Amino acid sequence: MKTKYLLLTLTLLLTVTLIGCSSNAEGESGKPDKVTLDYAYYSPTSLVLKEKGWAEEAFKEQGIEVEFVLSQGSNKALEFLNSSSVDFSSSAGAAALMAKANGSPVESVYLYSKPEWTALVTNADSGISSVKDLKGKKVAATLGTDPYIFLVRALKEHGMSPDDIELVNLQHADGAAALTAGNVDAWAGLDPHMARLELESDAKLFYREPTFNTYGSLNVRSEYAEKHPQIVKTVIEVYERARKWTIEHPEEAAQILAEEANIDLAVAKKEMERNDFSNPIPGQSLKETVKGAGEVLKDVEIIDQSVNIEELTNELVNPSFAKEVIE
């Protein structure tokens, strides 16, 4: 397992060579010519924002172009952010903490939702009904994401560790496909893929624990936030517009999710039902949930033993921009 943890660290730290150069150049005014945002199927508000064009509208008068890049999971979102391929990324709060522990200069400045977006999933005929049944089994998960952290926490809660299973590192959609094909025994699922399997196959969510799901956070590089505070506030303003619209128009938001993710509307509605959009300001509740995840990751040596989780969490969570915009 330590080899896998080393590979994860290298992935998070060396993505400049994998992803590319900076996402934008600065003009003579010192402002960037372009702001690059990610969007993700696990972040319905990002899909609303992309659909409505509110970011483009807000930045047009500043002469700044807006580009959207798809993130397939928190690991990819944080890789893109670390390499400057995006300026703002959508991830799970605990995944952002894990990236920060591995040297990524990331800050969480906004919450796009509080989801129950992950659970442990298996097929009806697998004979698996509890976490303990995973011993010696093949379990798919995406390293560096909330479902992976959820799996680790579930194992520890039941007196086990990742060494007790055969971990298969697959991106979320591929993990779902592997479970359906019978190539793995279980999967640490993520919506909307998890909701699709739940509704369209005999897959069952055999272990759920809402408190192990960490908030969905919008992240920015510390240097970028310091250099372009007004851009950060503008992005939060348009995210707020999308969040409020999503709360007021749940059916339409679900339709946007269904079309973007190419899933049935019923699946999109199932995902939306598992999201709470009421609290956009990162604060103490975010700190508590990511600290809990961080301590577990430290216990199983995924985060280095020398790391002070509380200090790291305080460095990660930056509510100042959201408070200024929202309150």
Side-chain angles (χ1 to χ4, degrees):
M1 294 302 295
K2 291 183 183 296
T3 301
K4 292 173 182 173
Y5 305 154
L6 177 60
L7 288 173
L8 175 59
T9 301
L10 291 173
T11 297
L12 291 168
L13 289 176
L14 300 180
T15 52
V16 173
T17 58
L18 296 176
I19 305 299
C21 301
S22 175
S23 64
N24 57 69
E26 292 184 357
E28 293 180 3
S29 65
K31 292 192 301 184
D33 297 325
K34 181 171 66 176
V35 172
T36 306
L37 311 173
D38 79 345
Y39 67 102
Y41 304 145
Y42 52 83
S43 172
T45 47
S46 72
L47 303 180
V48 170
L49 183 60
K50 177 176 177 286
E51 172 72 17
K52 295 297 184 180
W54 292 327
E56 292 88 339
E57 179 184 307
F59 282 108
K60 184 177 181 180
E61 59 188 40
Q62 301 179 41
I64 298 175
E65 180 187 350
V66 173
E67 180 182 1
F68 282 91
V69 173
L70 176 65
S71 289
Q72 296 283 6
S74 291
N75 61 327
K76 294 301 181 184
L78 291 161
E79 286 173 12
F80 293 160
L81 185 65
N82 192 51
S83 68
S84 300
S85 294
V86 301
D87 302 310
F88 297 85
S89 73
S90 312
S91 80
L97 182 76
M98 193 169 169
K100 194 169 185 70
N102 284 315
S104 183
V106 58
E107 294 180 11
S108 297
V109 296
Y110 182 80
L111 299 178
Y112 54 83
S113 74
K114 180 184 179 182
E116 187 195 356
W117 53 15
T118 187
L120 299 185
V121 189
T122 191
N123 294 315
D125 60 356
S126 69
I128 295 171
S129 60
S130 70
V131 175
K132 285 188 175 295
D133 293 334
L134 295 178
K135 189 173 180 64
K137 303 292 188 182
K138 289 184 178 179
V139 183
T142 309
L143 291 174
T145 67
D146 222 35
Y148 170 66
I149 296 167
F150 182 94
L151 171 63
V152 172
R153 297 186 76 174
L155 291 169
K156 188 172 189 298
E157 186 77 5
H158 291 79
M160 300 168 67
S161 80
D163 291 329
D164 292 312
I165 65 171
E166 183 179 341
L167 182 66
V168 182
N169 181 25
L170 296 171
Q171 281 298 134
H172 302 299
D174 296 329
L179 180 67
T180 301
N183 295 327
V184 295
D185 302 296
W187 168 55
L190 181 75
D191 279 337
H193 314 291
M194 184 171 71
R196 179 177 58 79
L197 260 62
E198 188 180 4
L199 292 175
E200 297 178 1
S201 73
D202 64 354
K204 60 178 182 177
L205 279 54
F206 70 92
Y207 182 77
R208 298 175 70 170
E209 179 47 74
T211 62
F212 286 178
N213 290 252
T214 59
Y215 286 85
S217 62
L218 185 68
N219 310 300
V220 63
R221 294 183 306 280
S222 299
E223 180 185 6
Y224 189 95
E226 184 177 350
K227 195 171 186 179
H228 304 297
Q230 188 53 54
I231 289 179
V232 176
K233 286 185 276 190
T234 300
V235 169
I236 291 174
E237 286 170 1
V238 295
Y239 255 92
E240 266 298 277
R241 186 174 179 182
R243 181 184 70 88
K244 291 176 180 177
W245 186 92
T246 299
I247 292 171
E248 294 167 1
H249 304 85
E251 292 284 334
E252 293 168 76
Q255 186 65 49
I256 290 172
L257 170 59
E259 292 173 0
E260 279 284 349
N262 193 28
I263 55 177
D264 287 346
L265 183 58
V267 174
K269 287 182 176 179
K270 173 70 76 173
E271 175 181 350
M272 295 293 289
E273 289 168 4
R274 295 202 270 244
N275 277 269
D276 177 358
F277 300 102
S278 64
N279 177 24
I281 299 176
Q284 193 58 36
S285 56
L286 173 62
K287 287 183 178 181
E288 290 301 322
T289 187
V290 299
K291 274 198 299 185
E295 293 295 350
V296 170
L297 293 171
K298 187 175 176 180
D299 286 346
V300 298
E301 300 182 350
I302 294 174
I303 289 179
D304 191 88
Q305 296 297 298
S306 65
V307 172
N308 185 314
I309 296 298
E310 185 164 5
E311 286 183 6
L312 192 71
T313 300
N314 290 336
E315 292 171 5
L316 172 71
V317 179
N318 181 359
S320 62
F321 294 105
K323 284 183 175 180
E324 188 172 343
V325 169
I326 298 167
E327 294 183 347

